[in-house]
Amino acid sequence: MTNNNCLMRLSQRALQALAVIGVVLFMMPQISQAQRGEGPPQPGVGNSDKDKSPYNKHDFNGFWVRNPEAQYNQPPCSECRDTGPSYGYFGDVPPMTPEGEKRFRQNKPTKGYTVGSPEAERNKNIHIAYRRAVQAALSNDPEERCEPLGLIRLVTFSGGNPPMHIVQTDEIIVERFEWFWDNREIWTDGRKLPVVDDYGPRFNGYSVGKWEGDTLVVTTVGLDDRQWVDAFGFPISDKAVLEERYSRPSPNRLRLEMTLTDPVTYTRPWKSTPKVWGKVPKEAMKIGGWAGLVEDRCNPAENSFFRSFEPPAPGQKKEE
Amino acid sequence: MRKQFTLSFLLITGLLLASASGWAHHGQGLSFATDHMWTTWATVEQFHYINPHPAIEFSRVDKNGKVEHWSAECGNNPSRMARDGWTKTRSLALLKPGTKVKLYVGTSLAGGFNGIVNRIENEKGEAIVETGEVRNAVDMEGVPSGYQPTAEDKAKAAKASSIDIYDKDQK
């Protein structure tokens, strides 16, 4: 190849690259729009996994994330991402009961579009829950105080950046969540659900699972009513029943559909949008030579130190 | 060559996509004057690699020679920073007390010497930590107190705190 040819080939490559980058830049507003929930991609729609290897549909062991390309160098998974704002339960929010409505208004989230912001104004078509974020100093979000997140919030948030680790045996499946370093258990040993009042509700409830074909159907009761359904301040009562339907449609995808039935709070059962995770080999998660979850625990002492940098709300005096 | 092109494209695309997220972070826009990001050279006093977000204490000198001591949070949490290559070892080594850095700051809407730092650059102009929006940042080197929120900025937060969104807007 002559120098001229080589230069020409390089110019062509550069032009190709510039053209493709131009297309990406042109698409940025649409991508951003999609992330805001105004257009495609749709969470849970389609399956981008190209892996055709044989696998066991009843084996959920491993590390699962909802943003596999971002930090783990895995193939992208457009159907894994919630369309936003942030991660949550989503779906068609049912009308609330008077009790549910009262508790919903008491909850002041920091996630979602900031109240009064141009984004909130532009997205007036979406439920008020997603456009009422306030500054941390005004919020009563349990997460801001390192209080337990609760089951649905752990499951729906996990994988955005912090992964979920599933450990499965013949009689129990344990989901471990990096964010808050929490876990939940799903017993598959054939037991029945407990009499909740004999011990009391738990933040992650009591869960039993059984296989229906290739779908693991998990029923949970006894959820502590201090938790929020997700970051947007949806309340939940301790009479709620959560059904989760997990499946593994391809080697590198885990899919979940949830239905929350809570007549104390909502006037009809509430189905989530589908949640999809991509599988990540543990080697891709190494930090300091250690593969696996990192302890992303919300430590109250550290959190308190961090919060000392956060500004007070208008009219609120900052403690010295 | 094709492989190199593909890799470059994926890298650039990935970086662009990673920067596309505009979701609210802890009501950030109401806590900090992020509409008025500004830059300053500063000296690291302490970098704290803590949950839920790292924090930096720094000093800067104004044009009158007066030293200001600031404290600020940085956006990402340590696990994400570590997976992006900014391990605790590396971050603390590059941000030792006494290190000169250029900071992109959003001042607390309450005013004073608190804020959020969305980008930390070393003296070569390389990003050490980048966690948020820095476009349109204004150079305020030497300006006493950097950018301090105006009454209008503060009114924005106060107004948002008092909006009754439910009666008129509830779906």
Side-chain angles (χ1 to χ4, degrees):
Chain A
M1 195 187 300
T2 65
N3 283 346
N4 276 349
N5 276 344
C6 187
L7 281 174
M8 196 175 287
R9 186 67 65 89
L10 276 173
S11 311
Q12 281 171 347
R13 297 274 185 223
L15 279 173
Q16 264 182 305
L18 282 172
V20 179
I21 290 164
V23 169
V24 172
L25 284 170
F26 174 75
M27 287 174 66
M28 286 305 292
Q30 286 88 330
I31 293 166
S32 188
Q33 200 174 37
Q35 286 183 334
R36 291 198 300 265
E38 297 166 11
Q42 291 294 314
V45 175
N47 185 344
S48 57
D49 187 11
K50 308 288 183 221
D51 189 350
K52 303 294 178 201
S53 324
Y55 70 103
N56 180 355
K57 290 189 173 186
H58 290 211
D59 179 5
F60 297 163
N61 278 296
F63 295 92
W64 300 94
V65 302
R66 296 181 61 199
N67 199 0
E69 72 274 32
Q71 292 182 293
Y72 309 99
N73 299 316
Q74 301 302 304
C77 175
S78 58
E79 71 273 22
C80 289
R81 306 294 305 276
D82 277 343
T83 47
S86 194
Y87 286 86
Y89 188 83
F90 299 119
D92 184 14
V93 182
M96 292 176 213
T97 63
E99 170 66 12
E101 185 70 35
K102 183 179 155 197
R103 293 185 62 212
F104 173 73
R105 291 185 186 204
Q106 286 167 347
N107 295 343
K108 309 285 183 198
T110 67
K111 305 290 194 324
Y113 299 122
T114 303
V115 63
S117 66
E119 292 80 13
E121 286 298 306
R122 273 201 301 272
N123 288 283
K124 274 195 160 179
N125 58 324
I126 62 175
H127 194 279
I128 189 70
Y130 308 117
R131 49 190 171 90
R132 60 173 188 155
V134 296
Q135 74 174 89
L138 289 172
S139 170
N140 55 7
D141 184 345
E143 186 184 37
E144 295 287 333
R145 299 188 297 272
C146 289
E147 289 170 12
L149 289 183
L151 179 66
I152 301 174
R153 198 165 170 184
L154 283 170
V155 171
T156 55
F157 181 73
S158 263
N161 290 305
M164 171 170 71
H165 181 200
I166 295 185
V167 182
Q168 183 175 356
T169 75
D170 289 341
E171 63 172 16
I172 191 171
I173 296 173
V174 178
E175 290 176 342
R176 303 177 60 230
F177 307 101
E178 180 170 282
W179 179 231
F180 270 53
W181 198 249
D182 206 339
N183 70 83
R184 65 85 63 102
E185 53 188 32
I186 301 165
W187 286 96
T188 51
D189 58 356
R191 71 179 61 191
K192 290 185 168 32
L193 287 162
V195 179
V196 172
D197 289 344
D198 281 352
Y199 186 78
R202 310 196 300 194
F203 277 97
N204 296 343
Y206 301 84
S207 305
V208 295
K210 62 176 183 186
W211 289 97
E212 287 181 6
D214 292 329
T215 301
L216 179 74
V217 181
V218 180
T219 306
T220 300
V221 295
L223 290 160
D224 190 303
D225 65 4
R226 287 172 290 180
Q227 68 193 274
W228 293 1
V229 170
D230 59 17
F232 307 106
F234 289 107
I236 190 170
S237 84
D238 58 12
K239 302 292 180 255
V241 178
L242 178 70
E243 182 186 85
E244 294 162 277
R245 301 179 71 85
Y246 288 91
S247 58
R248 192 177 170 193
S250 64
N252 299 300
R253 293 289 180 266
L254 179 71
R255 184 183 172 90
L256 167 64
E257 288 170 13
M258 288 176 279
T259 305
L260 178 66
T261 305
D262 181 5
V264 176
T265 313
Y266 302 98
T267 56
R268 59 173 163 77
W270 179 10
K271 282 173 110 60
S272 72
T273 52
K275 309 299 172 194
V276 180
W277 287 260
K279 199 166 197 281
V280 174
K282 71 178 177 192
E283 293 74 20
M285 304 180 68
K286 249 182 206 171
I287 296 175
W290 184 270
L293 299 188
V294 297
E295 189 186 51
D296 216 352
R297 195 193 295 271
C298 195
N299 177 328
E302 282 195 350
N303 190 50
S304 165
F305 177 70
F306 165 75
R307 292 295 297 273
S308 72
F309 295 117
E310 291 237 316
Q316 185 185 44
K317 282 193 175 164
K318 189 159 184 164
E319 285 178 25
E320 294 300 328
Chain B
M1 182 76 86
R2 177 168 289 278
K3 196 176 177 185
Q4 276 177 340
F5 168 80
T6 308
L7 280 173
S8 308
F9 168 64
L10 285 175
L11 180 65
I12 293 165
T13 309
L15 288 171
L16 288 169
L17 288 173
S19 67
S21 173
W23 297 339
H25 154 77
H26 298 266
Q28 192 183 94
L30 288 180
S31 294
F32 305 100
T34 47
D35 292 344
H36 300 278
M37 295 298 292
W38 55 283
T39 63
T40 183
W41 283 98
T43 303
V44 177
E45 292 184 334
Q46 187 106 41
F47 184 74
H48 305 272
Y49 201 85
I50 56 171
N51 256 323
H53 305 287
I56 182 169
E57 294 176 83
F58 63 92
S59 59
R60 65 187 290 267
V61 183
D62 74 16
K63 61 187 175 192
N64 304 313
K66 191 177 168 195
V67 179
E68 298 170 359
H69 298 278
W70 285 70
S71 49
E73 62 176 79
C74 304
N76 281 343
N77 64 340
S79 64
R80 179 157 188 188
M81 282 185 65
R83 293 211 173 91
D84 284 340
W86 294 104
T87 60
K88 185 176 183 178
T89 324
R90 188 179 175 202
S91 303
L92 294 185
L94 285 167
L95 294 168
K96 281 182 188 151
T99 307
K100 197 170 181 208
V101 287
K102 185 178 179 184
L103 303 177
Y104 291 70
V105 185
T107 310
S108 159
L109 276 174
F113 293 168
N114 283 329
I116 188 163
V117 165
N118 279 350
R119 181 178 165 101
I120 304 176
E121 283 176 10
N122 64 15
E123 290 184 284
K124 292 179 192 164
E126 296 161 342
I128 299 178
V129 173
E130 180 152 15
T131 60
E133 184 58 69
V134 296
R135 272 182 300 186
N136 305 321
V138 174
D139 179 8
M140 301 199 82
E141 184 60 28
V143 176
S145 306
Y147 180 83
Q148 287 296 313
T150 61
E152 193 183 342
D153 295 330
K154 291 181 182 180
K156 174 183 147 191
K159 184 184 169 197
S161 321
S162 62
I163 291 175
D164 180 2
I165 48 179
Y166 301 105
D167 291 338
K168 55 179 181 174
D169 267 351
Q170 181 66 61
K171 278 182 83 177

